[in-house]
Amino acid sequence: MPIKAILTDIEGTTSAVSFVFDVLFPYAAKHLPGFVREHAEDPEVAMQLGAVRLDSGEPEADVERVIEILQQWLAEDRKATPLKALQGMIWKQGYAAGELKGHVYPDAVEALREWHAKGYDLYVYSSGSIQAQKLIFGCSEAGDLTPLFSGYFDTTSGPKREAQSYRHITEAIGCPAGKILFLSDIVEELDAAQAAGMLTCGLAREGGELAGHKTVSSFAEIDPAAI
Ligand SMILES: CSCCC(=O)C(=O)COP(=O)(O)O
Ligand SMILES: [Mg+2]
């Protein structure tokens, strides 16, 4: 069955882990306290602070305590939806100020452009919020790549290591799972996508093998027509 859609992870797949860990996360950690204090009453921010109180089991937490919880989650790299939403809002300011530029590997840029031109529908699935996904590709070192994508999925579709999340995404994309190719650097994510019926390809940019999945070190090695 030929591939119709390609769904890609970001961190470690289209973009360097080091960009996320050494640039994006520290930027969010540095600006989070000031951002939350300044915007605590803004409806979008207030909604996320409420979700932190709920998820942490601390319904009475004041703003300073919520900041502490968020900093703890940041340190643990917790893929919590309210943290991810707030990170996206903070990064938006960094991209707008010219302090951030999204890293996308040149081989990923070239392949994504080629696949789009050939008619494949391209989608993103990342733990980063949809806003953060649009920013990394929209304000990338290679320019605005968002016209290449047909849609974005984040943790609101479910955790990346659970097959059910990929079933939700398949339904949203609207084509059979067997026509969707999922790309990731994490074997548990590939396993979950495969369990939901998707085809998979692992990215091991430092070399090596993602057990049970075709593995490549660059997008240049992926030919969706040959999968
Ligand atoms: C949208 S860039 C920031 C990515 C991020 O916040 C993250 O947690 C990485 O998640 P991924 O699912 O892309 O590995
Ligand atoms: Mg990844």
Side-chain angles (χ1 to χ4, degrees), residues 125-143:
Y125 182 28
S126 169
S127 303
S129 67
I130 288 172
Q131 178 182 40
Q133 297 173 24
K134 289 180 177 171
L135 287 165
I136 194 171
F137 289 115
C139 307
S140 89
E141 291 159 357

Side-chain angles (χ1 to χ4, degrees), residues 11-29:
E11 180 195 300
T13 302
T14 61
S15 306
V17 173
S18 60
F19 174 67
V20 176
F21 273 83
D22 300 341
V23 178
L24 288 182
F25 287 171
Y27 188 95

Side-chain angles (χ1 to χ4, degrees), residues 31-150:
H31 291 89
L32 185 126
F35 179 87
V36 170
R37 285 182 196 121
E38 192 179 334
H39 297 281
E41 304 300 325
D42 297 359
E44 268 183 54
V45 175
M47 191 171 82
Q48 301 307 333
L49 302 187
V52 174
R53 291 186 180 99
L54 207 68
D55 291 1
S56 64
E58 296 193 37
E60 306 300 329
D62 64 12
V63 169
E64 292 307 314
R65 176 63 192 141
V66 171
I67 290 170
E68 275 177 23
I69 295 166
L70 285 164
Q71 284 172 323
Q72 179 66 33
W73 287 359
L74 257 168
E76 294 167 1
D77 187 23
R78 180 113 47 119
K79 308 298 189 189
T81 301
L83 169 64
K84 293 289 150 192
L86 291 164
Q87 281 178 325
M89 296 177 204
I90 294 165
W91 292 331
K92 182 182 176 193
Q93 297 190 337
Y95 284 107
E99 293 167 357
L100 296 173
K101 266 262 178 259
H103 175 266
V104 185
Y105 286 110
D107 58 82
V109 173
E110 197 179 327
L112 291 167
R113 284 188 175 136
E114 184 190 316
W115 297 341
H116 179 259
K118 285 183 171 166
Y120 294 101
D121 296 328
L122 306 181
Y123 296 89
V124 181
Y125 182 28
S126 169
S127 303
S129 67
I130 288 172
Q131 178 182 40
Q133 297 173 24
K134 289 180 177 171
L135 287 165
I136 194 171
F137 289 115
C139 307
S140 89
E141 291 159 357
D144 180 6
L145 303 174
T146 56
L148 303 178
F149 294 103
S150 299

Side-chain angles (χ1 to χ4, degrees), residues 9-13 17 160 184-186 189:
D9 165 55
I10 295 180
E11 180 195 300
T13 302
V17 173
K160 292 183 75 186
S184 175
D185 62 321
I186 303 292
E189 296 176 4

Side-chain angles (χ1 to χ4, degrees), residues 186-200:
I186 303 292
V187 73
E188 291 86 351
E189 296 176 4
L190 295 166
D191 290 345
Q194 196 171 58
M198 290 185 185
L199 302 175
T200 56

